[in-house]
Amino acid sequence: GPAVEASVLSPSLIIYGSKVRRNIARVVEACGSAERWRPHIKTTKSAWVIEALVAAGVRRFKCATPREAAVLARTVEPLGVAIDALCAFPHGGPNLAELESVAARHASTRLSVLVEDEAGAAATRLDVFLDVNPGMDRSGVPLESAAGVAAPGAAGPG
């Protein structure tokens, strides 16, 4: 409140935890349930916000980097909850290896990765989400080709 604002140097960033928690509750309500929300960690960058999201029932998250995945997994592990985290950026090489290492170190975090093609799906032991290009030509496999791309070991018809 005003007492805090009057006691800090300017410019400063002041975050009101009660307002953050209220906003989390509003988003959960707008989504219909916490299960329907997958917030991106880049919007929080803070362990206490991740903890507030978990306290509100959020168990599905997005991240973009191996470091964000590791911070998320380390933050929720002591809370004793299992989460589902999607690394929503296609990675390869050392970054993909690090994501697989994060998943191996944190059993309570189900880590999936975004892939843009069959080669990306074949390159990882993690679960995958296929990036589909709906016609905007930013990234992903063309919509008409998406059905033909399957992760290794995926169950076929029947």
Side-chain angles (χ1 to χ4, degrees), residues 38 41 59-74 76 82-89 91 95-115 124-129:
R38 189 183 286 269
I41 296 309
R59 299 294 184 270
R60 297 169 7 129
F61 295 88
K62 283 184 288 200
C63 61
T65 68
R67 184 167 192 253
E68 288 175 349
V71 167
L72 176 62
R74 279 195 315 267
V76 300
I83 63 161
D84 181 284
L86 166 62
C87 190
F89 184 85
H91 288 286
N95 279 1
L96 184 57
E98 180 58 22
L99 286 166
E100 291 173 344
S101 177
V102 169
R105 290 192 312 267
H106 300 280
S108 63
T109 297
R110 177 179 177 247
L111 185 59
S112 303
V113 294
L114 184 74
V115 299
T124 184
R125 297 182 308 269
L126 298 173
D127 291 334
V128 299
F129 281 66

Side-chain angles (χ1 to χ4, degrees), residues 13 23 78 129:
L13 174 64
N23 287 344
F129 281 66

Side-chain angles (χ1 to χ4, degrees), residues 3-152:
V4 171
E5 293 165 5
S7 67
V8 296
L9 296 174
S10 177
S12 293
L13 174 64
I14 301 172
I15 299 172
Y16 295 97
S18 60
K19 292 181 181 187
V20 170
R21 287 185 291 278
R22 185 184 72 215
N23 287 344
I24 290 170
R26 285 178 171 174
V27 173
V28 168
E29 182 181 350
C31 289
S33 72
E35 292 80 31
R36 297 184 66 191
W37 187 21
R38 189 183 286 269
H40 202 298
I41 296 309
K42 70 180 175 188
T43 62
T44 66
K45 300 283 187 180
S46 170
W48 74 267
V49 176
I50 294 169
E51 291 167 357
L53 288 162
V54 169
V58 176
R59 299 294 184 270
R60 297 169 7 129
F61 295 88
K62 283 184 288 200
C63 61
T65 68
R67 184 167 192 253
E68 288 175 349
V71 167
L72 176 62
R74 279 195 315 267
T75 301
V76 300
E77 198 164 50
L79 303 177
V81 298
I83 63 161
D84 181 284
L86 166 62
C87 190
F89 184 85
H91 288 286
N95 279 1
L96 184 57
E98 180 58 22
L99 286 166
E100 291 173 344
S101 177
V102 169
R105 290 192 312 267
H106 300 280
S108 63
T109 297
R110 177 179 177 247
L111 185 59
S112 303
V113 294
L114 184 74
V115 299
E116 293 185 311
D117 53 29
E118 199 166 344
T124 184
R125 297 182 308 269
L126 298 173
D127 291 334
V128 299
F129 281 66
L130 180 63
D131 184 8
V132 176
N133 176 0
M136 298 181 70
D137 299 328
R138 282 186 50 205
S139 64
V141 64
L143 183 59
E144 58 277 359
S145 302
V149 178

